[in-house]
Amino acid sequence: GYLDLIESLGLRVLEIPTHPATGLSLPALELALDTQPVRAVLAAPTLSNPLGSVMPLAAKQRLVKLLAQRRVPLIEDVVFNDLLSGDQRRKAAKAWDTEGNVMVCGSFAKTLTPGIRLGWVEAGRWRDAVATHKRLQGAATNVVLEEALADLLTQGSYEAHLRRLTASMRQRRHEARHLIAHHFPPGTRVSNPPSGDTLWLELHPAIASMDLFKRCASEGITFGPGELFTATDRYRNCLRLNFSGPWNAITMQALARIGEIARQMLERPAASPTPPVLRRA
Ligand SMILES: Cc1ncc(COP(=O)(O)O)c(C=O)c1O
């Protein structure tokens, strides 16, 4: 969604290399700032989607400082932070913002239900501009829902809910990784995020995940092909699995089936495209 949104604003995306465990590479970001006309940085420092990487607290602090020095705003997406309930890494980079240079945006889509459509923003220096923008959009929020949510957040049941949710996600990731190890072709690599319900897979380079997607979709099984997550042509052999829906025998079978189809693609590759006809000069 971000890539489409940025394109619709007439802006261009520059992707910053990200480590699967520790997230955004600060040296790479610094290089980008030195050499490119960067107008803003959009990041999910805590449980990035799709890798699930988490920047260490010291790195979050350095990120905020670096961008404040350069007067480049940080738009921090904290939609997944609460899934690190009870873990100090849950803390947002915004916590180190002393100059209002960080716009932090969150929602309850990942912790309560995507359908709730309630989120929030603390826009620092841009507070008034964001409030005006929201007013102009005319999208009033549902006050009844807001009141109900406020009750939930203040009565202590939210933290208890988060503990149950993250425990069930841990179990799903564990079972999914087990199924992947058994059913996907040898050499498949899979992320191991500390929370959340997505896994990122790197398949053998000969497997195009878009082709795999098409074959799976014809059997009613879907996932996120790697190229959805980039503005470049990378990640063609990667895919994102999401376990936020029902998790039962049918979904487990579907996951195993993706692996089987990937194996078949590797064992019996589709006929390569017809080579171009060479013309005589
Ligand atoms: C990183 C990230 N930010 C934000 C969102 C969207 O949240 P919402 O449904 O509240 O708009 C998503 C949903 O997939 C997401 O993955």
Side-chain angles (χ1 to χ4, degrees):
Y2 279 154
L3 296 176
D4 289 341
L5 178 67
I6 291 167
E7 194 179 343
S8 77
L9 294 170
L11 298 170
R12 286 189 302 153
V13 176
L14 180 67
E15 295 171 11
I16 305 298
T18 298
H19 186 280
T22 55
L24 201 71
S25 159
L26 291 176
L29 176 63
E30 217 164 348
L31 179 65
L33 294 167
D34 285 342
T35 56
Q36 306 291 327
V38 176
R39 301 286 302 276
V41 172
L42 171 60
T46 312
L47 291 173
S48 67
N49 181 5
L51 277 173
S53 55
V54 183
M55 292 179 78
L57 293 183
K60 288 181 185 173
Q61 185 175 11
R62 276 208 304 283
L63 171 68
V64 172
K65 198 169 162 204
L66 173 69
L67 295 178
Q69 278 164 356
R70 312 260 183 151
R71 302 286 289 174
V72 173
L74 171 64
I75 303 168
E76 182 183 18
D77 184 339
V78 294
V79 77
F80 293 107
N81 288 43
D82 286 354
L83 299 182
L84 277 179
S85 158
D87 184 323
Q88 52 156 358
R89 291 174 299 171
R90 178 182 186 175
K91 195 166 176 170
K94 175 76 180 170
W96 287 277
D97 179 28
T98 52
E99 303 179 24
N101 198 50
V102 180
M103 292 179 239
V104 65
C105 310
S107 94
F108 298 93
K110 308 297 175 186
T111 50
L112 292 178
T113 168
I116 193 163
R117 311 311 310 153
L118 274 183
W120 49 273
V121 53
E122 208 289 79
R125 289 211 301 273
W126 296 272
R127 185 194 169 99
D128 292 344
V130 168
T132 305
H133 194 58
K134 168 82 176 141
R135 226 175 15 254
L136 292 179
Q137 281 180 338
T141 35
N142 180 330
V143 179
V144 179
L145 213 51
E146 275 183 350
E147 294 286 342
L149 185 61
D151 271 358
L152 184 77
L153 294 177
T154 50
Q155 286 170 6
S157 46
Y158 183 57
E159 288 297 325
H161 161 73
L162 289 178
R163 280 195 294 277
R164 281 193 302 276
L165 179 69
T166 50
S168 114
M169 286 175 167
R170 189 177 315 117
Q171 181 65 21
R172 287 176 184 212
R173 287 196 310 279
H174 176 75
E175 289 172 6
R177 285 168 53 85
H178 184 77
L179 286 167
I180 291 162
H182 278 82
H183 295 279
F184 278 65
T188 300
R189 301 169 76 198
V190 58
S191 63
N192 192 13
S195 190
D197 48 21
T198 56
L199 290 174
W200 178 254
L201 271 65
E202 195 177 306
L203 306 173
H204 186 284
I207 304 176
S209 68
M210 194 54 97
D211 291 346
L212 178 62
F213 175 83
K214 286 177 189 152
R215 292 183 199 208
C216 292
S218 71
E219 298 185 18
I221 305 169
T222 58
F223 57 80
E227 54 211 82
L228 290 190
F229 301 92
T230 178
T232 69
D233 61 358
R234 282 177 291 185
Y235 314 133
R236 288 179 174 274
N237 59 321
C238 299
L239 60 98
R240 188 195 71 174
L241 298 170
N242 181 329
F243 311 102
S244 56
W247 183 243
N248 51 34
I250 295 173
T251 37
M252 288 188 204
Q253 260 167 30
L255 177 55
R257 181 71 187 133
I258 301 174
E260 275 165 24
I261 298 175
R263 270 181 193 264
Q264 286 166 7
M265 286 173 68
L266 205 54
E267 284 157 16
R268 286 178 267 133
S272 49
T274 322
V277 179
L278 292 178
R279 294 203 183 140
R280 273 166 209 249

